């Protein structure tokens, strides 16, 4: 396959421009473009979108970019997406924020005092630090056999 080239083809219509455009034929049914002739202002690969803080947003690729690696003689292909249809990465809807807040809140409520200490509790204890410290202190005291003395004094 070394030396295979993709001839220029005048394509009647493409999603990223008005009127006929030169492409390198088609690949998997999509217009094929060579590196350098893809309109950088209109089309971007997934990686290029991520570099711009964007994601394809569910759109199908509108073209395929091929890059020839001279060293290996291999050709690789990358899907191209319309930049204008891309969306910012991780848009948070109000419902998503609410769900996230609830999930975080549940993990922050202390088992003993029922308060929200405003940080996520250690899952091993489920206690806020004051309660954890108190629990530890009590059991330490019990271990020492002075729990009753300690309770009367308090
Ligand atoms: Zn607590």
């Amino acid at each position: 396959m070394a030396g295979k080239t993709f001839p220029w083809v005048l394509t009647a219509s493409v999603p990223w421009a008005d009127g006929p455009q030169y492409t390198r034929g088609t690949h998997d049914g999509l217009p094929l473009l060579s590196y350098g002739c893809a309109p950088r202002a209109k089309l971007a690969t997934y990686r290029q979108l991520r570099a711009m803080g964007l994601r394809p947003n569910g759109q199908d690729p509108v073209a395929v970019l091929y890059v020839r690696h001279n060293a290996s003689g291999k050709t690789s292909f990358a899907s191209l997406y319309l930049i204008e249809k891309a969306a910012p990465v991780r848009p948070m809807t109000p419902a998503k924020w609410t769900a996230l807040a609830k999930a975080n809140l549940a993990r922050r409520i202390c088992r003993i005092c029922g308060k929200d200490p405003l940080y996520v509790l250690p899952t091993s204890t489920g206690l806020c630090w004051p309660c954890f410290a108190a629990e530890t202190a009590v059991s330490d005291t019990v271990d020492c056999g002075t729990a009753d003395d300690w309770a009367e004094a308090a």
Side-chain angles (χ1 to χ4, degrees):
M1 292 296 273
K4 184 186 177 188
T5 55
F6 300 95
W8 289 100
V9 176
L10 189 60
T11 304
S13 71
V14 292
W16 63 88
D18 295 324
Q21 300 289 316
Y22 277 103
T23 68
R24 293 306 191 98
T26 57
H27 180 80
D28 288 343
L30 292 171
L32 183 64
L33 298 171
S34 55
Y35 192 80
C37 83
R40 278 175 161 263
K42 300 269 181 71
L43 300 175
T45 64
Y46 185 81
R47 273 189 178 185
Q48 288 168 339
L49 286 179
R50 290 306 293 243
M52 291 184 270
L54 299 171
R55 63 193 170 85
N57 195 22
Q59 67 172 303
D60 291 324
V62 295
V64 176
L65 177 76
Y66 78 87
V67 183
R68 175 76 56 77
H69 298 275
N70 287 325
S72 63
K74 285 181 183 168
T75 302
S76 57
F77 298 90
S79 297
L80 285 171
Y81 300 90
L82 284 172
I83 295 173
E84 66 178 10
K85 281 194 181 176
V89 174
R90 266 177 272 119
M92 290 293 284
T93 62
K96 277 187 182 175
W97 280 119
T98 305
L100 186 66
K102 275 184 185 168
N104 277 336
L105 190 62
R107 287 162 58 201
R108 291 200 323 225
I109 300 294
C110 172
R111 280 198 292 122
I112 290 186
C113 66
K115 285 181 187 163
D116 175 5
L118 302 179
Y119 48 76
V120 174
L121 304 171
T123 48
S124 55
T125 61
L127 300 175
C128 69
W129 283 116
C131 289
F132 177 73
E135 280 271 287
T136 310
V138 168
S139 50
D140 281 353
T141 313
V142 170
D143 287 347
C144 295
T146 57
D148 290 341
D149 298 340
W150 184 80
E152 281 171 20

